[in-house]
Amino acid sequence: MVCFTLQISVVLLLLLYAMTFHKGICSTSCNAKDQSALLIFKRGVVDRSNMLSSWSNEEDCCAWKGVQCDNMTGRVTRLDLNQENLEGLSLPSTLNQSLVTPSDTHANFSSLKYLDLSFNEDLHLDNLQWLSQLSSLKYLNLSLISLENETNWLQTMAMHPSLLELRLASCHLKNISPSVKFVNFTSLVTLDLSGNNFDSELPYWIFNLSNDISHIDLSFNTIQGQIPKSLLNLQNLKYLGLDNNEFTGPIPDWLGEHQHLQHLGLIQNMFSGSIPSSLGNLTSLNQLTVSSNLLSGNLPNTIGQLFNLRRLHIGGSLSGVLSEKHFSKLFNLESLTLNSDFAFDLDPNWIPPFQLHEISLRNTILGPTIPEWLYTQRTLDILDISYSGISSINADRFWSFVSNIGTILLSHNAISADLTNVTLNSDYILMSHNNFTGGIPRISTNVSIFDISSNSLSGPISPSLCPKLGREKSLLSYLDLSYNLLTGVVPDCWENWRGLLFLFLNSNKLSGEIPPSMGLLDGLIEMNLQKNNLFGKFSLDMSNFTSLVFINLGENNFSGVVPTKMPKSMQVMILRSNQFAGKIPPETCSLPSLSQLDLSQNKLSGSIPPCVYNITRMDGERRASHFQFSLDLFWKGRELQYKDTGLLKNLDLSTNNLSGEIPPELFSLTELLFLNLSRNNLMGKIPSKIGGMKNLESLDLSNNHLSGEIPAAISNLSFLSYLNLSYNDFTGQIPLGTQLQSFDARSYAGNPKLCGLPLTKNCSKEENYDKAKQGGANESQNKSLYLGMGVGFVVGLWGLWGSLFLNRAWRHKYFRLLDRILDWIYVFVALKINKFGELRASSR
């Protein structure tokens, strides 16, 4: 008994010793020089969330957040300042060099083994020479830090032969040194260079890495050429990510010899040919993603032998018929994406060997009914059967089946079903472009995105949106009921849905006035009420809607004055085809972000206010927008849809009762692309300043009382593709030697004193002589303009799309999140939600 008690006491003492040692009570305290250097470093850090509050002399630095020390020496061995883990922390734009400067007063972190500074996007490093003093480094992560000026990064990293893991994702690196044969990465296990700007073939040194290398990620670059067979040198490879590059040629048959491969990512390249059957030999494979290529042919049966496969994503131009053999041994499959023209030949009583969490059969030939085997999947969280030819469902069974599925995508089918008595409670619901009828289904408070646009729903909105919700807070952020047959008034119960960010009620048959409770939706980003029968004054005070960037009230019967209580954030304001009257209010000019203003087809009077020049977004301030819109514009004499990325500039004041002269200030809006002042009572001359509107593509001044000669400076408008000056009082000859003669004669009709081509009326000799002199003075200028036209167009397009889609840091972060919520939802999320939950707008 005494012996037993003694043994227990010894065990307890040992346990107590281990616990106190782990807590640092018995360990050596933090090295004083290391602690001093870290405190100096902290002074340059912006710590908005007080994440480094523990970094003080009052506490041992080994207990600081993000810091770990060696228990024996007290030297700092790990520094983790990853922005994702330390939210609200911003590192200085340049690293404090005292961290790595060997001197008597500052520490030399030669013991540092782990350094993670990733996701600090404001941090720019001109060079990486300071890393050479971190001689014990085994883990380095600088992802999403700008290294665009670092051209010798590879040579610097090669000075760390002990590195096991190197992550430099989305660092704006450009040079991957494709001709270098060998790099001294003798210990490297993980290499992540994804999301950079590498524009070459695969470098030679990749194939001569350590035999221990198991993880290579080169996705989201511009790497070209075919995959060379020397990749077989890396026989321990488990993860190979080559997604989103420009690889060509066939998927190599010898890839089937990589027996240890677990992840093979080839999405979004230019691979051609068929999927090699040898991939069926990769029995360790758990992820195979080859969609969005130029592949054709059938899916080989051997894929069905990959019993470890958990994620299978196939797409492109593949086709053929899938049978039970393609799935026979996929016992562990959890995610299945077949986004191609596959048909199915499955026994009606077939029960799959897997239970899926996610399935996407988008674009397959699945219909006309839901197959029986799909109902056997009891663990689904994501169901995407959009674009799959389904036209009928067993309503009770189907709605019961999807009631526990978090995300359902049914869009672009031909499903007919009455939804009047249906209740939906999935988090994300996309059911647009079907033949659903009846009333709007009820939705639970947990629904976040609900899109049932472009159906045949009818009746009032209130039964669905206005039931008492009790104390539960609605999570709805996106509501699209557009393009239906809904009637009645806009309900006055928006206090239930105060979390809305996007609201689309356009293209219905709603009537009545705007209810007061809509003023509670102060988080809105976009609101579209276009094409209804709404009337009355628009009296909502939206000045506190600080996120609102888009409002469309067009094609209703609103009256009174143009709304003035709009937020400074407004970018697009469409009020066309209403009954707004009075003058254009000066408050409209004080919206600094406005890029679209459409007040056409109203009853506005008075003159155009000179303050229009203050609309700075139309005057050259090019800022990339986080939002993307689809607009209905009356352009080039017809209505059309135009997608806007925040840089489109449109001013439409047509079909009103505006009078007076066009203010000269308007022609200083040099970034304007579309200007329509037609069908008013404007008078005076077109000033020669119009030649400075170098980006103008469409100009409509027709049906006014403008007079004088058409200024020769209008020939400077190199991008002008639509012109209408008809039915005015212009005189003299149409300027010669420009594209003005290329327009149809109808562009100048109704000006009896106008002459010259393309009109049939000839001008007098005196007019020709005057015009010839005037044209000669501008000839040199016009030549230079034509020379620059092509370059200007390309540069303009690059400015528009480059910042949004070719920013590697943005792209990498964006697609990392999308990978987490699965590739199948990419199309929808890419239009509506960006990487950090920042919502982007999309409307018709």
Side-chain angles (χ1 to χ4, degrees), residues 277-294:
S277 60
S278 63
L279 295 187
N281 299 330
L282 301 176
T283 54
S284 298
L285 204 64
N286 57 51
Q287 292 202 46
L288 174 61
T289 57
V290 295
S291 56
S292 300
N293 279 283
L294 304 176

Side-chain angles (χ1 to χ4, degrees), residues 94-110:
T94 55
L95 275 178
N96 191 314
Q97 297 298 306
S98 66
L99 279 177
V100 291
T101 302
S103 68
D104 294 335
T105 57
H106 298 305
N108 174 11
F109 282 95
S110 58

Side-chain angles (χ1 to χ4, degrees), residues 614-650:
N614 295 331
I615 305 177
T616 54
R617 284 298 301 280
M618 297 184 184
D619 181 36
E621 186 181 348
R622 286 187 176 269
R623 293 177 289 179
S625 173
H626 293 291
F627 304 99
Q628 180 174 334
F629 309 109
S630 176
L631 306 175
D632 292 324
L633 301 180
F634 194 75
W635 179 48
K636 297 187 179 181
R638 65 187 188 279
E639 185 176 312
L640 73 159
Q641 207 174 70
Y642 199 101
K643 287 202 171 179
D644 171 38
T645 59
L647 294 176
L648 178 66
K649 308 294 190 298
N650 174 54

Side-chain angles (χ1 to χ4, degrees), residues 182-190 205-216 230-238 258 260:
F182 179 79
V183 178
N184 192 23
F185 287 144
T186 55
S187 304
L188 203 62
V189 175
T190 296
W205 59 265
I206 285 282
F207 313 112
N208 295 315
L209 289 171
S210 157
N211 288 331
D212 296 325
I213 190 78
S214 63
H215 182 113
I216 295 178
S230 47
L231 189 67
L232 284 175
N233 294 346
L234 311 178
Q235 275 298 311
N236 290 312
L237 206 58
K238 295 180 180 179
H258 269 287
H260 300 291

